């Protein structure tokens, strides 16, 4: 049985994580949390436009925009005191923002389990990332009608 | 052989009101004693990366998910596992262990409860946790301390006094029980989110007879524990508990209820409080156990 392929950007992130030892993986996750872009004003000032993700242990909000040419843009907000949740959002942003809607929809739901973080972060915490991805996909489908 | 002098208790006035003031210290006390031999400060957070963003200088990290749980069975580490963990962290049996963390010390209280299963002789919580330390502008460090490995003895875990299992909770029905989850979880409405991953329980509601006292009510705005008189108003007044009651506390997986266990046992002096760590993720999935829906016990 073959595993579904990831888009090249996500695959590179997965490869980077797996090339590292445990402690370095956590550091890389921390870097993704630091690189998560801040919300643009149109969302920062209108929090009601963001969708909450209660499956994350810490508060996380996201918004998805699909342009007419099907390019997807992702926006996340998570507080600095939730670096793991921010890190997951940072990975999804780095791996999916700017891709075509079909490419985002093709991302396997279990992709977060390929990062080699289960033992370091716990499956319970990783579930938050799967939930973010599920909500992103649902928003894309909703917006495309 | 190293001679360790036990660290003094914190004499801060607020703490003396509590039933067991030796179980809690202030941020001032930690700042003052940080370099004392015989003290290890450990941070325990909900977020597994928070420690890496900066922690109390010299503090070690103690992660509940990845370190205090058995990796396979749903249980805590066993005696040899706990001994290995403590030894790796540089903690001895005679160490004064001070725990602190995020979210009103929610996870730090959990770690303290697990340490109590192994009867660690001197373990304390830092009142106000991480939030208070930071709010006071105290220093943080990203440097990981290198504490020398110790030889922590293998101690059998004692599950008989402060831990409750499901069959014991069934036998306890009708006696004092506190559900410390949010009101929505208590009433059962929070499990109704179609199309979304659930929080691991097939049924919503609470254990019949359990009263609802959300855990965070014990914390003040600055994340410290409320003064004793306020805690008494909540638990003895509103909830109608007596300090000689046999009490079971629970939440979803036993973490938030560790916080309430600490409050009842060490701040209010209850003699017999057990934490049901199977909590709702066990009860709400078990065939044919009784469940109550709605806002009333």
């Amino acid at each position: 049985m073959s595993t579904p392929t990831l888009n090249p950007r996500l695959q590179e992130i997965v490869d980077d994580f797996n090339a590292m030892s445990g402690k370095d993986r956590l550091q890389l996750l921390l870097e993704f949390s630091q690189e998560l872009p801040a919300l643009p004003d149109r969302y920062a000032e209108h929090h009601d436009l963001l969708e909450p993700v209660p499956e994350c242990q810490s508060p996380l909000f996201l918004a998805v925009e699909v342009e007419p040419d099907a390019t997807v843009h992702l926006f996340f907000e998570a507080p600095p005191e939730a670096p793991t949740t921010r890190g997951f959002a940072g990975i999804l942003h780095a791996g999916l923002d700017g891709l075509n809607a079909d490419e985002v929809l093709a991302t396997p739901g279990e992709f977060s389990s390929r990062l080699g973080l289960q033992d370091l972060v716990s499956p319970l915490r990783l579930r938050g990332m799967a939930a973010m991805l599920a909500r992103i996909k649902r928003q894309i489908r909703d917006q495309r009608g | 052989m190293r001679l360790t002098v036990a660290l003094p208790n914190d004499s801060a006035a607020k703490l003396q009101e509590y039933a067991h003031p030796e179980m809690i210290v202030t941020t001032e006390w930690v700042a003052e004693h940080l370099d004392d031999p015989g003290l290890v400060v450990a941070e325990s957070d909900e977020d597994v990366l928070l420690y890496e963003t900066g922690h109390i200088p010299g503090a070690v990290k103690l992660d509940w998910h990845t370190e205090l749980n058995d990796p396979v069975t749903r249980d805590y580490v066993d005696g040899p596992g706990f001994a290995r963990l403590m030894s790796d962290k540089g903690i001895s049996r005679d160490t004064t262990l001070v725990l602190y963390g995020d979210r009103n010390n929610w996870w730090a209280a959990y770690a303290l409860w697990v340490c109590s299963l192994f009867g660690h002789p001197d373990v304390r919580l830092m009142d106000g946790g991480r939030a208070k330390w930071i709010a006071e502008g105290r220093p943080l460090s990203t440097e990981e301390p290198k504490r020398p490995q110790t030889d922590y003895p293998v101690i059998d875990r004692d599950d008989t006094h402060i831990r409750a299992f499901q069959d014991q909770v069934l036998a306890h029905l009708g006696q004092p029980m506190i559900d410390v989850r949010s009101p929505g979880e208590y009433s059962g409405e929070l499990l109704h989110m179609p199309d979304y991953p659930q929080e691991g329980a097939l049924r919503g509601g609470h254990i019949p007879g359990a009263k609802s006292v959300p855990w965070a009510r014990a914390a003040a705005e600055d994340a410290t524990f409320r003064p004793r008189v306020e805690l008494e108003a909540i638990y003895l007044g509103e909830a109608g508990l007596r300090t000689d009651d046999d009490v079971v506390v629970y939440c979803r997986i036993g973490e938030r209820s560790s916080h309430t266990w600490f409050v009842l046992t060490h701040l209010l002096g209850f003699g017999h409080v057990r934490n049901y760590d199977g909590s709702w993720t066990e009860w709400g999935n078990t065939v044919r156990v009784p469940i109550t829906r709605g806002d009333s016990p």
Side-chain angles (χ1 to χ4, degrees):
Chain A
M1 204 177 83
S2 65
T3 37
T5 51
L6 295 176
N7 80 65
R9 268 163 56 193
L10 265 190
Q11 187 61 52
E12 192 181 333
I13 293 172
V14 167
D15 292 343
D16 284 349
F17 270 99
N18 284 287
M20 290 180 171
S21 70
K23 283 224 161 107
D24 291 338
R25 280 181 207 176
L26 282 187
Q27 279 303 322
L28 184 58
L29 186 58
L30 192 59
E31 284 169 28
F32 275 107
S33 82
Q34 289 157 349
E35 287 161 10
L36 180 67
L39 280 181
D41 287 349
R42 65 181 184 281
Y43 287 116
E45 290 162 11
H46 290 279
H47 236 242
D48 51 307
L49 297 174
L50 299 168
E51 177 174 350
V53 184
E55 295 87 358
C56 290
Q57 288 200 330
S58 302
L60 180 107
F61 296 85
L62 63 84
V64 180
E65 292 178 2
V66 185
E67 291 184 26
D69 70 354
T71 304
V72 172
H73 290 292
L74 302 175
F75 305 91
F76 298 92
E77 188 184 65
E81 61 271 19
T84 302
T85 300
R86 285 183 64 87
F88 293 162
I91 289 171
L92 291 174
H93 189 271
L96 299 177
D97 183 75
L99 293 185
N100 177 281
D102 288 327
E103 293 176 290
V104 178
L105 290 173
T107 307
E110 42 65 60
F111 118 86
S112 56
S113 65
R114 301 189 196 179
L115 294 163
L117 289 170
Q118 293 92 320
D119 293 344
L120 299 165
V121 167
S122 91
L124 192 69
R125 285 167 171 145
L126 274 176
R127 215 162 56 190
M129 177 146 51
M132 281 183 222
L133 180 60
R135 282 164 186 272
I136 289 166
K137 289 182 180 180
R138 201 207 66 239
Q139 282 214 22
I140 291 172
R141 289 194 196 98
D142 286 354
Q143 291 184 34
R144 296 173 107 197
Chain B
M1 193 175 150
R2 187 168 62 95
L3 286 176
T4 307
V5 179
L7 270 77
N9 293 343
D10 188 336
S11 58
K14 174 201 165 196
L15 307 185
Q16 307 318 307
E17 297 171 0
Y18 295 134
H20 299 137
E22 72 280 9
M23 297 295 297
I24 186 163
V25 294
T26 57
T27 51
E28 290 82 6
W29 185 95
V30 171
E32 186 186 332
H33 292 280
L34 209 46
D35 297 326
D36 289 10
L39 174 73
V40 175
V41 179
E43 175 162 337
S44 207
D45 295 320
E46 172 169 82
D47 193 299
V48 71
L49 274 181
L50 201 50
Y51 171 89
E52 278 77 6
T53 67
H55 49 80
I56 294 180
V60 299
K61 173 180 175 178
L62 193 56
D63 187 64
W64 175 73
H65 277 290
T66 58
E67 294 183 318
L68 292 176
N69 276 302
D70 182 280
V72 180
T73 307
R74 183 174 172 189
D75 200 358
Y76 303 101
V77 290
D78 59 8
F82 188 73
R84 249 190 328 273
L85 178 65
M86 293 293 105
S87 299
D88 288 347
K89 303 284 176 191
I91 298 165
S92 305
R93 190 70 176 164
D94 60 0
T95 296
T96 295
L97 177 59
V98 170
L99 295 160
Y100 76 100
D102 62 351
R103 299 208 165 204
N104 302 331
N105 275 330
W106 161 356
W107 300 88
Y110 203 168
L112 185 142
W113 179 76
V114 173
C115 290
S116 302
L117 291 173
F118 293 95
H120 187 83
D122 187 0
V123 55
R124 316 180 191 184
L125 269 190
M126 184 178 86
D127 198 21
R130 184 182 164 90
K132 186 157 192 283
W133 182 272
I134 291 173
E136 292 168 345
R138 299 185 188 275
L140 293 175
S141 167
T142 53
E143 194 179 323
E144 199 184 335
K146 305 258 183 296
R147 301 194 67 87
Q149 174 102 10
T150 57
D151 188 17
Y152 198 95
V154 174
I155 307 285
D156 285 339
R157 201 182 64 222
D158 183 351
D159 292 333
T160 58
H161 297 295
I162 61 171
R163 187 177 186 192
F165 296 102
Q166 189 178 45
D167 55 337
Q168 296 168 325
V169 178
L170 275 166
H172 188 82
L173 290 177
Q175 296 177 68
M177 199 161 357
I178 301 290
D179 182 319
V180 314
R181 298 173 300 160
S182 60
E185 290 171 280
Y186 179 83
S187 68
E189 73 190 61
L190 261 195
L191 282 178
H192 287 272
M193 293 192 296
D195 303 332
Y196 299 135
Q198 297 295 303
E199 282 286 297
L202 291 169
R203 289 289 186 269
H206 56 268
I207 301 177
K211 289 184 178 167
S212 170
V213 185
W215 70 282
R217 291 192 59 199
E221 285 288 301
D222 64 355
T224 58
F225 288 107
R226 292 189 181 284
R228 181 162 185 169
V229 61
E230 292 179 24
L231 295 175
E232 285 176 344
I234 295 169
Y235 295 99
L236 306 185
E238 281 177 44
L241 297 176
R242 294 158 39 122
T243 54
D244 58 355
D245 278 341
D246 178 1
V247 185
V248 167
V249 295
Y250 72 92
C251 57
R252 194 177 63 84
I253 52 172
E255 12 65 279
R256 286 172 286 182
S257 44
S258 297
H259 190 272
T260 300
W261 166 83
F262 184 88
V263 170
L264 295 178
T265 303
H266 294 306
L267 303 185
L268 294 179
F270 280 60
H272 195 211
V273 182
R274 286 174 293 163
N275 182 23
Y276 168 41
D277 59 273
S279 278
W280 199 255
T281 50
E282 179 176 49
W283 198 273
N285 283 321
T286 305
V287 175
R288 286 174 52 159
V289 295
I291 288 175
T292 300
R293 294 290 276 278
D295 299 329
S296 305

